[in-house]
Coordinates of all heavy atoms in Angstrom, one line a residue:
K53 N 103.2 114.0 108.1 CA 104.4 114.2 107.3 C 105.7 114.3 108.2 O 106.7 113.7 107.9 CB 104.3 115.4 106.4 CG 103.4 115.1 105.2 CD 103.5 116.3 104.2 CE 102.7 116.0 103.0 NZ 102.7 117.1 102.0
L54 N 105.6 115.0 109.3 CA 106.7 115.0 110.2 C 107.0 113.6 110.8 O 108.2 113.2 110.9 CB 106.4 116.0 111.4 CG 106.5 117.5 111.1 CD1 106.0 118.3 112.3 CD2 107.9 117.9 110.8
A55 N 106.0 112.9 111.2 CA 106.2 111.6 111.7 C 106.8 110.7 110.6 O 107.7 109.9 110.9 CB 104.8 111.0 112.2
L56 N 106.4 110.8 109.4 CA 106.9 110.0 108.3 C 108.4 110.3 108.1 O 109.2 109.4 107.9 CB 106.1 110.2 107.0 CG 106.5 109.4 105.8 CD1 106.4 107.9 106.1 CD2 105.7 109.8 104.6
G57 N 108.7 111.5 108.1 CA 110.2 111.9 108.0 C 111.0 111.3 109.1 O 112.1 110.8 108.8
E58 N 110.5 111.3 110.3 CA 111.2 110.8 111.4 C 111.3 109.2 111.4 O 112.4 108.7 111.6 CB 110.6 111.2 112.8 CG 110.7 112.7 113.1 CD 112.2 113.1 113.3 OE1 112.9 112.4 113.9 OE2 112.5 114.2 112.7
V59 N 110.3 108.6 111.0 CA 110.3 107.1 110.9 C 111.2 106.6 109.8 O 111.9 105.6 110.0 CB 108.8 106.6 110.8 CG1 108.3 106.6 109.4 CG2 108.8 105.1 111.3
R60 N 111.3 107.4 108.8 CA 112.2 107.0 107.7 C 113.7 107.1 108.1 O 114.5 106.3 107.7 CB 112.0 107.9 106.5 CG 110.8 107.6 105.7 CD 110.6 108.5 104.5 NE 109.5 108.0 103.7 CZ 108.8 108.8 102.9 NH1 109.1 110.1 102.8 NH2 107.8 108.3 102.1
K61 N 114.0 108.0 109.0 CA 115.4 108.1 109.6 C 115.8 106.9 110.4 O 117.0 106.5 110.3 CB 115.5 109.3 110.4 CG 115.4 110.6 109.7 CD 115.5 111.8 110.7 CE 115.2 113.1 110.0 NZ 115.2 114.2 111.0
I62 N 114.8 106.2 111.0 CA 115.2 105.1 111.9 C 114.8 103.8 111.3 O 115.1 102.7 111.8 CB 114.7 105.2 113.3 CG1 113.2 105.3 113.4 CG2 115.4 106.4 114.0 CD1 112.7 105.3 114.8
G63 N 114.1 103.8 110.2 CA 113.8 102.6 109.4 C 112.8 101.6 110.0 O 113.0 100.4 109.9
L64 N 111.7 102.1 110.6 CA 110.7 101.2 111.1 C 109.7 101.0 110.0 O 108.7 101.8 109.9 CB 110.0 101.8 112.3 CG 110.9 102.0 113.5 CD1 110.2 102.8 114.6 CD2 111.4 100.7 114.1
D65 N 109.9 100.0 109.1 CA 109.0 99.8 108.0 C 107.6 99.6 108.2 O 106.7 100.2 107.6 CB 109.5 98.6 107.1 CG 110.9 98.8 106.5 OD1 111.3 100.0 106.3 OD2 111.6 97.8 106.2
G66 N 107.2 98.9 109.2 CA 105.8 98.7 109.6 C 105.1 99.9 109.9 O 104.0 100.2 109.5
Y67 N 105.8 100.7 110.7 CA 105.2 102.0 111.2 C 105.2 103.0 110.0 O 104.2 103.8 109.9 CB 105.9 102.6 112.4 CG 105.0 103.3 113.3 CD1 104.0 102.6 114.0 CD2 105.0 104.6 113.5 CE1 103.1 103.2 114.8 CE2 104.1 105.3 114.3 CZ 103.2 104.6 115.0 OH 102.2 105.2 115.8
Q68 N 106.2 102.9 109.1 CA 106.2 103.8 107.9 C 105.0 103.5 107.1 O 104.3 104.4 106.6 CB 107.5 103.6 107.1 CG 107.6 104.5 105.9 CD 108.9 104.3 105.2 OE1 109.9 103.9 105.8 NE2 108.9 104.8 104.0
V69 N 104.7 102.2 106.9 CA 103.5 101.8 106.1 C 102.2 102.3 106.7 O 101.3 102.9 106.1 CB 103.4 100.3 105.9 CG1 102.1 99.8 105.3 CG2 104.6 99.8 105.1
K70 N 102.1 102.2 108.1 CA 100.9 102.7 108.8 C 100.7 104.2 108.6 O 99.6 104.7 108.3 CB 101.0 102.4 110.2 CG 100.8 101.0 110.6 CD 100.9 100.7 112.0 CE 100.8 99.2 112.3 NZ 100.9 98.9 113.8
I71 N 101.8 105.0 108.7 CA 101.7 106.4 108.6 C 101.4 106.8 107.1 O 100.5 107.7 106.9 CB 103.0 107.1 109.0 CG1 103.2 106.9 110.5 CG2 103.0 108.6 108.7 CD1 104.6 107.3 111.0

Side-chain angles (χ1 to χ4, degrees):
K53 283 185 174 183
L54 284 173
L56 183 59
E58 291 297 316
V59 81
R60 284 178 171 157
K61 290 178 187 175
I62 60 174
L64 297 173
D65 291 339
Y67 216 67
Q68 182 175 341
V69 171
K70 288 179 184 182
I71 294 169

